[in-house]
Amino acid sequence: MPAGPGANRVPPKFGTSGLRGLVTELTPELVADYTRAFLAACDAGTGLCIGRDLRPSSPDIAAVVAQAAAGTGLPVTDCGALPTPALAHWAMAQGQSAIMVTGSHIPADRNGLKFYTPAGEITKADEAAILAALGQPVGQRAVQIAPSDAAKSAYRAKYVNGFGSILHSARIGIYAHSAVGRDILADILTDLGADVVVIDPSDQFIPVDTEAVDPVLRNRLPALCADHALDALVSTDGDSDRPLVADEMGQIVPGDILGQICVAALGADTVVTPVSSNSSLEALGLAPRVIRTRIGSPYVIDGMRQAGGQVAGYEANGGFLLGFDWTGPAGGVLTALPTRDAVLPILIPLWQARLQGAPLSALVTAHRLRVTATDRLPEIPTDQSARWIAALIGDSAARAAFLPALEDARLDLTDGLRMHLADGRVLHLRPSGNAPELRVLIEAPDADQARAFMDDVLPRVRAAVTRA
């Protein structure tokens, strides 16, 4: 049966993206409880750094986190509004833990917490420990909360020292919207020599998903690039850990292709990426070793930790994870940052295109042997999606009834249901791990086939899942 009114009002969920939920259900008591549980169950280091994005509820939630942490007697630093990777980068360098208040790309009526130990993003084992530690007593100590802009300054400096003036005379647009990293991204690009054009900054929070870009924005990009004579247009999601890059013609560069370009430039010997990323990675032989995981940065990070060495990771949403220290073209060292970052996968493709003396589109073409496309169906409860997908997994006749070509498809159950058709196309269905929506991912030999396949499949999925 179709979901009834209010079916999307699920309790706050703790998992691969930290704690997520409706703002009305992220009560001060709940937020404080998760803060105390994290500090009790995980290595908190010598202090806690707190950051936040620009959605309206984030300052109040950050204040609750700070007060709960201060009550335990742990030194607390308020780093203000800044990108998630900037917060993680600074905290790790100081031997401290971090909590980022953000709902990432989801709408403003939702928010959440992301947790970091001094070693980086929490692991699946850490998640279990935090859940087991809920219900800690309220702390009675009240240490002073210290504000600091040092995290933002250090994040900016690392890229300037690493890349130098690689973008001299380049004209780069920034779709600013409400991304928390919009100002620091503009500063970095300017420092690297680019002529920066800031487009559409907003005081109202706008949920931008870099993996499933809103069609209205996607359709605007060619005109924006032409009107401003841009070499590229860049942006990020709400907490600025996932990049959005469009070439000189306003065509969006898929996040996994950005990842491939970074891998080639960095010289990583091992790459860890989810099963949903473009298979051109293997076809081009960009790394001696490729490890495929479930979707979500904790799975990528776990794979990177197990692999060791000169390892890098990336996701189809564009977030890039650097697992080793790398010396940039200007001689500065970019230290390992095993959490999603948006700036590195923006800068490296721009740098590589200029090195080759070619437009960004030419670099992308060389890395895109196959074409992926993603979309989503919002406001679909997770249990409803899971029920329908389970029926497809267990019944080839159900798959054939949904789409005849799927009857004999090869199934990959690494994460959701990934179906490999005999003609080389791929259909991947997966409930989102952090919002009530169903993700639809496809891969095809070329853009025309990918577009036609998505146009055919998406209405079929919408009709079928609403009947489940």
Side-chain angles (χ1 to χ4, degrees):
M1 295 294 291
N8 63 319
R9 294 181 62 86
V10 295
K13 183 177 181 180
F14 185 65
T16 58
S17 293
L19 181 68
R20 290 279 181 89
L22 290 167
V23 171
T24 54
E25 295 178 343
L26 291 173
T27 63
E29 294 78 14
L30 183 72
V31 169
D33 193 13
Y34 269 91
T35 299
R36 291 189 292 266
F38 165 63
L39 297 177
C42 300
D43 177 13
T46 59
L48 177 71
C49 299
I50 301 171
R52 63 182 185 273
D53 67 14
L54 298 181
R55 64 187 67 219
S57 60
S58 291
D60 287 345
I61 294 175
V64 172
V65 171
Q67 290 299 324
T72 70
L74 189 70
V76 177
T77 302
D78 178 5
C79 296
L82 79 171
T84 295
L87 178 71
H89 171 257
W90 177 252
M92 292 171 65
Q94 305 308 305
Q96 299 188 1
S97 53
I99 296 178
M100 179 71 179
V101 179
T102 180
S104 187
H105 65 280
I106 59 180
D109 64 342
R110 296 173 171 87
N111 212 326
L113 306 178
K114 290 182 179 180
F115 300 92
Y116 294 84
T117 71
E121 192 171 329
I122 60 170
T123 65
K124 301 304 290 183
D126 291 329
E127 290 175 13
I130 292 169
L131 288 173
L134 290 172
Q136 295 289 314
V138 176
Q140 299 302 316
R141 300 175 64 184
V143 299
Q144 186 174 3
I145 300 167
S148 174
D149 288 327
K152 287 181 276 192
S153 298
Y155 188 64
R156 175 179 177 180
K158 94 171 193 175
Y159 287 110
V160 175
N161 294 336
F163 283 91
S165 57
I166 60 164
L167 299 180
H168 177 68
S169 77
R171 190 167 171 82
I172 309 297
I174 295 179
Y175 171 55
H177 66 95
S178 52
V180 70
R182 59 192 182 185
D183 293 336
I184 195 169
L185 179 57
D187 289 340
I188 290 171
L189 293 172
T190 299
D191 289 342
L192 299 186
D195 178 12
V196 175
V197 180
V198 177
I199 300 168
D200 291 354
S202 174
D203 292 331
Q204 302 296 315
F205 187 80
I206 300 172
V208 172
D209 186 344
T210 63
E211 193 175 3
V213 178
D214 182 82
V216 174
L217 174 59
R218 183 185 292 270
N219 293 335
R220 286 187 62 208
L221 295 178
L224 288 174
C225 288
D227 293 346
H228 294 284
L230 301 177
D231 294 306
L233 185 147
V234 302
S235 187
T236 71
D237 66 338
D239 67 323
S240 296
D241 68 346
R242 308 179 189 189
L244 174 63
V245 177
D247 65 21
E248 74 283 356
M249 297 181 291
Q251 299 302 305
I252 293 174
V253 183
D256 44 12
I257 302 301
L258 294 175
Q260 291 178 192
I261 295 170
C262 289
V263 165
L266 293 168
D269 56 30
T270 301
V271 180
V272 182
T273 192
V275 65
S276 57
S277 294
N278 195 302
S279 63
S280 298
L281 171 67
E282 288 89 348
L284 288 167
L286 296 177
R289 184 185 183 198
V290 176
I291 300 171
R292 295 279 180 166
T293 72
R294 291 182 63 186
I295 297 170
S297 57
Y299 300 108
V300 175
I301 291 169
D302 184 58
M304 292 173 65
R305 286 174 174 161
Q306 293 184 40
Q310 290 199 174
V311 60
Y314 65 84
E315 299 179 272
N317 57 41
F320 196 87
L321 303 93
L322 182 63
F324 62 99
D325 294 350
W326 178 71
T327 301
V333 176
L334 278 73
T335 55
L337 183 60
T339 191
R340 277 195 304 251
D341 186 25
V343 173
L344 193 64
I346 287 174
L347 296 185
I348 286 184
L350 298 178
W351 166 50
Q352 289 294 295
R354 291 178 69 78
L355 276 181
Q356 297 178 17
L360 181 57
S361 59
L363 180 64
V364 173
T365 297
H367 277 267
R368 198 178 188 190
L369 302 184
R370 289 176 60 81
V371 175
T372 55
T374 63
D375 213 323
R376 59 180 177 169
L377 297 177
E379 307 303 333
I380 303 293
T382 300
D383 59 348
Q384 187 173 340
S385 297
R387 185 167 58 247
W388 175 62
I389 290 173
L392 292 181
I393 292 172
D395 188 350
S396 61
R399 295 195 297 273
F402 170 66
L403 188 68
L406 296 178
E407 183 174 11
D408 298 320
R410 176 171 62 85
L411 307 187
D412 182 339
L413 306 182
T414 302
D415 197 339
L417 173 58
R418 189 172 179 87
M419 296 169 280
H420 296 256
L421 283 66
D423 61 9
R425 294 178 298 169
V426 176
L427 172 61
H428 191 164
L429 304 170
R430 172 182 171 268
S432 171
N434 51 44
E437 60 189 33
L438 176 61
R439 297 275 182 165
V440 180
L441 307 92
I442 66 171
E443 183 172 303
D446 58 56
D448 289 340
Q449 290 189 58
R451 189 177 305 108
F453 195 25
M454 183 64 82
D455 289 345
D456 178 37
V457 163
L458 200 61
R460 292 175 185 263
V461 173
R462 183 181 292 106
V465 75
T466 53
R467 292 195 301 266

